[in-house]
Amino acid sequence: MFRSSAAISVHLVWPLWGRKAGASLTRCLHQTLTMAKQLPARRLNGIDHNPWVEFVELAKKYDVVNLGQGFPDFPPPDFAVQAFQQAVSGDFMLNQYTKAFVSLLHLLKVLKDRHQHHIGPSAEGRSGTLHDQSIWSSLGGRRTWNMGYPPLTKILASFFGKLLGQELDPLKNVLVTVGAYGALFTAFQALVDEGDEVIIIEPAFDCYEPMTLMAGGRPVFVSLRPSPAPKGQLESTNDWQLDPTELASKFTPRTKALVLNTPNNPLGKVFSKTELELVADLCRQHDVLCISDEVYQWLVYDGHQHISIASLPGMWGRTLTIGSAGKSFSATGWKVGWVLGPDNIMKHLRTVHQNSVFHCPTQGQAAVARCFEREQQHFGQPSSYFLQLPQAMQLHRDHMIRSLQLVGLKPLMSQGSYFLIADISGFKSKMPDLPGAADEPYDRRFAKWMIKTKGLVAIPVSIFFSQPHQKDFDHYIRFCFVKDEATLQAMDERLQKWKRELQS
């Protein structure tokens, strides 16, 4: 390899021979040999392809209605917008590191404890003020982990402590992260080691597998499987069930964690208490951690109830519960998420967080804190956004189901999340030879065909399955119904046109 690299180097630098010392042969040779080394880390092997990029780029080339990506195209509630505006225009310290804010609060507390209520230039010469070495020692000497903006960690501890039946300490049981994505990444990096097995229930959000691999772990998949609905009835994603025997068989002495996602993306399945108890019993029996992704917990429909697995007996001490302000308040671009869990697990996440992103944007955290303070006052009442949003989105879901049926798509009733899936088996039998590679799952070819010919974007469900199982589930596509009324009307226009084409 060295000889070939050197030969290339000489070939490249020969035209430069005779130039000034700044472009010497030695320097050029060194630079070329450096570039010949493997550039990416081995942990990226096999995960560099992202199907989302492919579909997003394809959609840009056509006039489409985007029902594929999971984001609201309507504004957050007024109180959330006002909270963000206030965070941006209010306290100037919110422009600084969250840790700086934490340190300032601690300083103020120390001063208050010493009965020093005035901080400013006129106090600089006094004992016990800003120049007091003992105060600065108390700041520098204590290990101030950056858990998050204090009002946010406090309200999260209070709000979710009641739901989980736990007394949460804002400094020990809460960590604010860069979105739920950041929470997941931090958890995998903190807990999964080389050779550890991680059980993933599929279909699964497509980051769980690469995050496991990047940490050195081995993903172990177990599939939810559909049961046929009674004749004449709409199928439901809650009919997709785990096989208890198959699930139990996936646990081995190497199993470190299980990833649970309820409500599930892409299915919209809300796991029942019985199903959660099955998972919990196996986690306790095999001493396995549970990473519970609950970002859609407020988006449940038809009277279904979201249950956090951490609230079940014996599960708080082995569960990380992950949430998202973006999903809670329809502001996905804010990228504020959190992890809740016991201190003996959370301390490892704090180490990763401290040595990676360090902290999250302070103003966004301040806005989310105000949103939760508002929700805590209205919780359970008709004025609660956590009640208003699912009520409105259930109507959007029902609208989409009726519309998709016009062209022969067979939507499944979703009980939660932003999404529903539709069965395209009828199309697969009628037009099996859509353009695409021979080994490309049918749903991917269908989704591309629909973008190009019908102007509608959906996501193929096979991308949410592991490679060996993709062919078994290549006859479903995922739609996002958390969209504005105008978007749904634009969808209707495309579907009506499609219907006329089928009738002609």
Side-chain angles (χ1 to χ4, degrees), residues 14-268:
W14 184 257
L16 304 178
W17 200 271
R19 291 193 180 183
K20 292 184 179 180
S24 68
L25 173 61
T26 302
R27 181 179 301 174
C28 290
L29 188 62
H30 171 74
Q31 290 175 342
T32 307
L33 287 175
T34 300
M35 292 301 293
K37 293 180 179 178
Q38 178 178 321
L39 192 59
R42 285 190 299 273
R43 70 178 66 91
L44 300 184
N45 291 345
I47 65 171
D48 52 343
H49 174 70
N50 189 316
W52 292 92
V53 176
E54 181 181 6
F55 283 92
V56 170
E57 290 301 314
L58 180 62
K60 289 179 181 177
K61 299 176 182 178
Y62 298 88
D63 177 21
V64 296
V65 180
N66 189 350
L67 305 171
Q69 291 176 278
F71 63 87
D73 59 357
F74 50 82
D78 290 342
F79 67 82
V81 175
Q82 292 165 5
F84 204 99
Q85 291 172 338
Q86 191 167 1
V88 172
S89 60
D91 190 338
F92 71 90
M93 281 299 293
L94 293 178
N95 293 288
Q96 307 307 324
Y97 295 129
T98 303
K99 188 167 183 177
F101 200 102
V102 174
S103 297
L104 179 63
L105 289 178
H106 178 63
L107 174 62
L108 292 172
K109 181 179 183 302
V110 172
L111 291 174
K112 183 177 180 181
D113 291 344
R114 297 189 181 190
H115 308 290
Q116 299 288 340
H117 301 291
H118 181 74
I119 300 178
S122 61
E124 287 182 357
R126 303 182 194 168
S127 174
T129 60
L130 289 177
H131 282 194
D132 189 327
Q133 292 300 314
S134 64
I135 293 182
W136 288 115
S137 296
S138 71
L139 280 173
R142 70 193 286 266
R143 195 169 189 178
T144 54
W145 292 103
N146 192 1
M147 305 297 292
Y149 177 62
L152 178 56
T153 57
K154 181 179 178 181
I155 190 65
L156 290 175
S158 170
F159 194 96
F160 286 99
K162 295 181 177 67
L163 297 177
L164 297 174
Q166 298 289 329
E167 189 74 29
L168 301 189
D169 185 333
L171 295 178
K172 295 180 178 180
N173 304 127
V174 183
L175 174 64
V176 179
T177 58
V178 182
Y181 222 90
L184 288 162
F185 185 80
T186 302
F188 280 103
Q189 288 295 312
L191 303 174
V192 178
D193 212 345
E194 290 286 339
D196 285 343
E197 294 177 356
V198 177
I199 296 174
I200 299 174
I201 300 171
E202 56 181 0
F205 188 49
D206 66 319
C207 77
Y208 303 151
E209 180 180 5
M211 286 186 182
T212 299
L213 293 170
M214 288 185 71
R218 186 174 80 86
V220 176
F221 297 95
V222 57
S223 297
L224 292 160
R225 301 187 184 279
S227 301
K231 191 173 182 179
Q233 291 187 19
L234 199 66
E235 289 188 48
S236 167
T237 51
N238 266 22
D239 295 330
W240 290 53
Q241 300 286 328
L242 287 167
D243 181 320
T245 303
E246 182 185 10
L247 176 62
S249 73
K250 302 298 182 180
F251 285 79
T252 76
R254 300 290 299 175
T255 306
K256 183 68 172 291
L258 177 145
V259 183
L260 175 72
N261 177 209
T262 180
N264 175 271
N265 172 16
L267 285 182

Side-chain angles (χ1 to χ4, degrees), residues 261-423:
N261 177 209
T262 180
N264 175 271
N265 172 16
L267 285 182
K269 173 184 172 63
V270 177
F271 281 74
S272 67
K273 186 175 182 180
T274 301
E275 292 172 306
L276 295 177
E277 287 173 341
L278 167 66
V279 173
D281 287 345
L282 289 167
C283 287
R284 289 193 298 264
Q285 179 183 336
H286 295 274
D287 193 22
V288 166
L289 299 167
C290 181
I291 300 173
S292 189
D293 181 350
E294 303 181 15
V295 297
Y296 299 105
Q297 72 175 99
W298 308 115
L299 288 150
V300 290
Y301 315 113
D302 303 317
H304 287 267
Q305 182 184 7
H306 168 77
I307 300 171
S308 292
I309 195 169
S311 68
L312 299 184
M315 286 305 291
W316 165 254
R318 65 177 66 253
T319 302
L320 294 175
T321 304
I322 292 173
S324 163
K327 302 300 191 300
S328 299
F329 299 108
S330 304
T332 58
W334 288 12
K335 295 299 289 181
V336 177
W338 55 84
V339 193
L340 312 173
D343 183 46
N344 67 309
I345 301 176
M346 294 291 290
K347 65 182 181 181
H348 305 301
L349 275 70
R350 293 195 289 267
T351 299
V352 172
H353 196 261
Q354 185 77 10
N355 292 286
S356 55
V357 298
F358 176 63
H359 91 119
C360 310
T362 311
Q363 292 168 330
Q365 294 183 71
V368 174
R370 287 186 176 274
C371 290
F372 266 106
E373 288 164 1
R374 188 263 185 197
E375 276 303 296
Q376 191 169 57
Q377 295 173 359
H378 293 261
F379 193 67
Q381 303 174 24
S383 54
S384 168
Y385 189 68
F386 294 163
L387 285 180
Q388 293 175 348
L389 180 61
Q391 288 171 357
M393 292 307 105
Q394 182 171 322
L395 296 176
H396 287 204
R397 178 204 64 180
D398 295 345
H399 178 158
M400 180 174 281
I401 286 174
R402 290 191 299 269
S403 297
L404 294 177
Q405 290 174 314
L406 292 174
V407 296
L409 293 165
K410 296 181 179 179
L412 280 66
M413 184 65 73
S414 166
Q415 268 71 48
S417 81
Y418 279 3
F419 310 106
L420 62 83
I421 67 171
D423 190 331

